[in-house]
Amino acid sequence: MDRFILIETSTALCSAAIAEDGRIAAYRESSGDRQHASLTAVFIDEMLKELGLTAGDCDAVCVSMGPGSYTGLRVGVSTAKGLCFGAGIPLLAVGTLDILVRQAVCDGIVPEGCRYIVPMIDARRMEVYSAVFDTECRRLTDIEPTIVGPGSFSDRLHEGPVLFIGDGAGKCASVITSPQAHFAQCCPKASSMLVPATAEYKEKRFKDVAYFEPFYLKEFVATVSKKKFF
């Protein structure tokens, strides 16, 4: 029986799950905004105790690797590494956009006749991190930062319905006005990581626990506070 700890902290929502034998056995998510640092490890500890397990009873830890929030990704990856080091189990990672696409399919929100799913992670202003997938969850384009305008994804929309999903989808609805465009404003969840995590585990695509880094897509840019302290 395969058993995984699943961690998703790439956006404002913090969530974690434990999967056993192809199902989600326990799940937690935050009700507040950006509580990753204080809740991720607590969620995992609660679920392990609930199921009468230790981290060492699990076969692997799988973490969402981005793109997404710099701080959120750091928290998730650091927690995953700590569990792997402590329990001596392997580390897996799946892309945040892949999780959103799988979420759309599993939740049954893909519109009839849809040919493409475009997951969108919110960046600044009208920018999103995105790629184009088909409804079989296969990525068709590179993952890129995209500034969304009236003509964005017009070639895909000419072919039929397109689902835009993610925490960056809602802000695009006022700009992408095609009747073929459908929007699902949501965050990726750990419970949607099960299928891609299982595939990674079966293919033994383990990450180097010491050197693995999240996929930020863009480098973190520190800003100087405008507040005057003296």
Side-chain angles (χ1 to χ4, degrees), residues 78-94:
S78 297
T79 303
K81 285 186 173 186
L83 288 164
C84 291
F85 271 125
I89 55 178
L91 174 67
L92 303 168
V94 296

Side-chain angles (χ1 to χ4, degrees), residues 96-112 114 116-120 133-137 162-166 169 182-189 191-193 196:
T96 306
L97 300 184
D98 297 86
I99 297 167
L100 279 168
V101 173
R102 181 62 59 178
Q103 195 163 304
V105 173
C106 292
D107 290 354
I109 61 173
V110 180
E112 185 176 353
C114 180
Y116 303 109
I117 301 173
V118 180
M120 291 177 158
F133 290 70
D134 64 19
T135 54
E136 298 297 320
C137 303
V162 176
L163 175 65
F164 298 92
I165 182 173
H182 300 259
F183 299 90
Q185 177 75 10
C186 63
C187 292
K189 296 184 177 184
S191 54
S192 299
M193 297 172 66

Side-chain angles (χ1 to χ4, degrees), residues 41-110:
V42 171
F43 282 165
I44 295 166
D45 182 59
E46 287 178 352
M47 291 187 295
L48 288 171
K49 289 178 178 176
E50 177 184 311
L51 298 172
L53 302 171
T54 67
D57 295 319
C58 300
D59 295 290
V61 179
C62 185
V63 66
S64 174
M65 68 179 182
S69 158
Y70 181 91
T71 303
L73 291 171
R74 295 298 295 180
V75 170
V77 169
S78 297
T79 303
K81 285 186 173 186
L83 288 164
C84 291
F85 271 125
I89 55 178
L91 174 67
L92 303 168
V94 296
T96 306
L97 300 184
D98 297 86
I99 297 167
L100 279 168
V101 173
R102 181 62 59 178
Q103 195 163 304
V105 173
C106 292
D107 290 354
I109 61 173
V110 180

Side-chain angles (χ1 to χ4, degrees), residues 153-230:
F153 305 101
S154 58
D155 54 339
R156 308 291 179 174
L157 290 162
H158 286 154
E159 297 183 43
V162 176
L163 175 65
F164 298 92
I165 182 173
D167 69 340
K171 70 180 184 182
C172 299
S174 62
V175 178
I176 303 175
T177 57
S178 167
Q180 300 282 32
H182 300 259
F183 299 90
Q185 177 75 10
C186 63
C187 292
K189 296 184 177 184
S191 54
S192 299
M193 297 172 66
L194 175 56
V195 173
T198 302
E200 292 293 303
Y201 183 74
K202 288 182 177 178
E203 294 296 324
K204 300 188 183 300
R205 291 194 282 261
F206 304 131
K207 304 300 182 182
D208 187 309
V209 178
Y211 295 104
F212 174 74
E213 290 289 331
F215 174 46
Y216 297 117
L217 191 57
K218 281 188 174 183
E219 291 296 325
F220 175 70
V221 178
T223 58
V224 178
S225 174
K226 295 181 180 179
K227 294 182 180 179
K228 294 182 178 180
F229 297 97
F230 302 99

